[in-house]
Amino acid sequence: MPEDMSIISYDGHDFGVTIGLSTVAQPVRFLGQLAASQVMTLIDKPNNALSNMVVPTELVMRQSVLKIN
């Protein structure tokens, strides 16, 4: 790897740094807070519709992907 295939993980696990695994990092703590907020809103106002939200992520390139020039 990465000559034969590229591998990208999701969630940005700390072990990825150790083994050079590329990852899509997302703000896990923020996602938990956002989910809790949505649940509390639904409890307070059960007839409210949930809204779609865009949460930023980051592609962290390491040694598990082939660099194409």
Side-chain angles (χ1 to χ4, degrees):
M1 238 187 11
E3 296 79 22
D4 298 322
M5 79 172 72
S6 294
I7 297 178
I8 299 176
S9 70
Y10 202 77
D11 283 347
H13 193 277
D14 291 338
F15 188 63
V17 175
T18 304
I19 62 172
L21 182 62
S22 298
T23 188
V24 176
Q26 59 180 347
V28 178
R29 178 172 284 146
F30 174 72
L31 288 173
Q33 293 169 340
L34 191 59
S37 174
Q38 290 290 307
V39 168
M40 296 305 293
T41 298
L42 283 175
I43 290 171
D44 289 341
K45 300 174 185 172
N47 294 329
N48 278 11
L50 293 177
S51 59
N52 290 327
M53 297 178 191
V54 176
V55 178
T57 59
E58 177 186 4
L59 178 58
V60 181
M61 302 291 283
R62 296 192 181 104
Q63 294 80 28
S64 67
V65 293
L66 179 64
K67 293 184 174 144
I68 299 174
N69 296 327

